[in-house]
Amino acid sequence: MSIRSLSQLIDEYCQTIHKPQTSIADILEAFHERGLGMVLILFATPMALPIPVPPGINVLLATPLIFLTLQQAMGAHTVWLPEKIKRKEMDSGKLKGMLQKILPFLRKIEFFLRPRLSWITNDGISRLMGVLGFIMALTVCIPLPLTNTVPSFGIALMAIGFMTRDGLAVLGGALIGTAWVAMLATAVLIFGPEAFDIIKDFIKSFL
């Protein structure tokens, strides 16, 4: 049995949105066992955009990523959230519009996505990737310009890989994110607290 692509899943879901408001619980129910990956994508993708994020916003958006990647590290296949959060609703029209905007991009990258290296998406490796994702999510909270972009992209790519059973995409996201974490850790070990100022100036030189 072939695995439906992520764009197919999202397109089919968009066609089922009829209520004026959509809750987090509705999204989780719609994507079933892929709910964890879908919610990770929804939170990580905005943070992966290469634009400056106002102070505090990165922490606000990173908190769900920390919570979700920790659950993945613990071996969860479904998302557990407090009922208060699961009942939180959003405008269905805006949600549908956002999903439809990313569909063309997904259809382009899906040319490269296919089920492969399935052992990477197995439970044991999935937990390891959850640990790596958790570490990446922690670095999103660092108050440096654009530091949210690389680790969030890594988390999003890993989530897409898990949802499409593409172990290569999972591995790519893990390598991108861990390379960023390793760079930050090395800089801190060498330069101490001044490393953050050095990295900030380095990043600003490209803006």
Side-chain angles (χ1 to χ4, degrees):
M1 181 179 177
S2 61
I3 298 175
R4 286 178 298 168
S5 67
L6 182 56
S7 62
Q8 285 178 313
L9 288 172
I10 293 178
D11 188 38
E12 291 172 5
Y13 174 64
C14 287
Q15 296 177 31
T16 66
I17 299 177
H18 301 298
K19 299 187 298 182
Q21 297 290 318
T22 299
S23 67
I24 298 295
D26 292 333
I27 297 174
L28 296 177
E29 182 179 355
F31 289 96
H32 303 292
E33 75 278 2
R34 296 191 184 186
L36 178 57
M38 190 63 214
V39 177
L40 277 171
I41 291 170
L42 289 177
F43 279 107
T45 301
M47 294 289 289
L49 298 176
I51 57 175
V53 177
I57 297 298
N58 59 326
V59 177
L60 179 64
L61 294 178
T63 300
L65 291 179
I66 293 172
F67 186 77
L68 294 168
T69 52
L70 182 60
Q71 289 187 58
Q72 183 182 2
M74 296 172 64
H77 294 284
T78 56
V79 179
W80 180 88
L81 291 173
E83 286 300 318
K84 183 178 181 180
I85 295 179
K86 290 173 68 174
R87 290 196 302 267
K88 189 171 182 60
E89 295 183 330
M90 63 195 81
D91 182 88
S92 294
K94 292 181 179 179
L95 172 63
K96 187 174 181 178
M98 181 188 71
L99 293 176
Q100 289 177 331
K101 285 182 179 179
I102 68 173
L103 279 175
F105 171 74
L106 284 176
R107 292 187 177 116
K108 289 180 180 178
I109 67 171
E110 280 173 348
F111 176 80
F112 303 99
L113 299 173
R114 62 184 62 88
R116 54 190 163 183
L117 301 179
S118 59
W119 58 272
I120 294 179
T121 63
N122 291 338
D123 187 58
I125 303 298
S126 175
R127 293 190 182 199
L128 173 60
M129 295 302 170
V131 173
L132 295 178
F134 175 71
I135 296 172
M136 294 178 209
L138 289 176
T139 65
V140 175
C141 298
I142 298 175
L144 291 175
L146 301 182
T147 49
N148 54 287
T149 304
V150 178
S152 295
F153 178 77
I155 293 172
L157 186 56
M158 285 198 297
I160 290 173
F162 277 112
M163 290 191 70
T164 58
R165 304 299 188 267
D166 188 342
L168 186 59
V170 175
L171 187 60
L175 290 175
I176 291 171
T178 53
W180 174 257
V181 173
M183 185 197 74
L184 287 178
T186 302
V188 171
L189 287 174
I190 296 175
F191 300 105
E194 293 181 3
F196 295 111
D197 291 329
I198 295 173
I199 295 173
K200 183 185 297 185
D201 293 338
F202 177 76
I203 293 174
K204 285 183 176 180
S205 68
F206 288 94
L207 298 179

